[in-house]
C-alpha cells in the first residue's frame, strides 16, 4: 500500500499503472464509510499482492486529483490500468463483492 497525494499521484498511480494495475482509494479521515472500507481494501491488497498496488489518497488534503477524477462522494475506488481508469465503485461494498470485482478486473 502506498499513500499518494496531488504531487506524486502521476508517478505513483499513472506511471505505475502502465506496469501493474493500481487501485486508488479516495477517502477522508472524517468519513465513517471510508474507515469501514479501509481494512477490507488492505486485506484484499495483501491477497492480490503482485497483481495490483493499493494507493490511498486523502481527498481533504488533495482536492486537485479528487476534482480531476470526478470524485463526487467517498469512499470512491478507481482501478487504473495503462494510465486510465478502467472501472470504479463508490461506497462500502462487502468484501466478497470487491474480491469478485477485482478478479474480474485483474485478468
Amino acid at each position: 500500500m502506498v499513500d499518494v497525494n496531488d504531487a506524486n499521484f502521476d508517478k505513483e498511480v499513472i506511471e505505475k499503472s502502465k506496469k501493474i494495475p493500481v487501485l486508488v482509494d479516495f477517502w477522508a479521515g472524517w468519513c465513517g464509510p471510508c474507515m469501514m472500507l479501509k481494512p477490507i481494501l488492505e486485506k484484499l491488497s495483501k491477497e492480490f499482492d503482485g497483481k495490483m498496488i493499493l494507493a490511498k489518497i486523502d481527498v481533504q488534503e488533495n482536492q486537485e486529483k479528487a476534482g480531476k477524477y470526478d470524485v463526487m462522494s467517498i469512499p470512491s475506488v478507481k482501478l487504473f490500468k495503462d494510465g486510465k481508469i478502467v472501472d470504479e465503485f463508490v461506497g462500502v461494498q462487502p468484501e466478497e463483492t470487491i474480491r469478485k470485482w477485482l478478479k474480474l478486473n485483474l485478468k
Side-chain angles (χ1 to χ4, degrees):
M1 184 184 81
V2 62
D3 286 311
V4 296
N5 55 46
D6 286 341
N8 71 1
F9 190 93
D10 289 346
K11 177 183 176 230
E12 295 294 330
V13 175
I14 303 303
E15 290 306 312
K16 286 187 178 178
S17 76
K18 294 176 181 175
K19 296 182 176 120
I20 185 170
V22 179
L23 187 69
V24 181
D25 178 18
F26 290 85
W27 70 283
W30 51 262
C31 167
C34 297
M35 297 300 113
M36 292 169 53
L37 184 61
K38 179 181 176 182
I40 296 170
L41 293 179
E42 289 175 355
K43 178 181 178 187
L44 291 172
S45 75
K46 290 177 183 149
E47 189 176 314
F48 288 89
D49 187 38
K51 295 181 181 177
M52 69 161 198
I53 296 169
L54 173 61
K56 301 182 70 57
I57 183 165
D58 184 333
V59 298
Q60 182 113 18
E61 297 175 9
N62 300 282
Q63 296 179 6
E64 176 192 327
K65 294 304 179 191
K68 179 176 181 176
Y69 293 105
D70 298 321
V71 175
M72 300 295 177
S73 63
I74 54 174
S76 183
V77 179
K78 300 177 187 286
L79 183 64
F80 287 77
K81 286 185 190 174
D82 298 318
K84 298 180 178 78
I85 297 170
V86 294
D87 206 350
E88 60 191 296
F89 66 87
V90 176
V92 178
Q93 305 289 325
E95 181 179 324
E96 190 54 37
T97 301
I98 299 171
R99 182 179 287 109
K100 287 177 184 174
W101 182 82
L102 284 168
K103 285 180 180 177
L104 180 71
N105 282 293
L106 296 177
K107 286 182 180 178

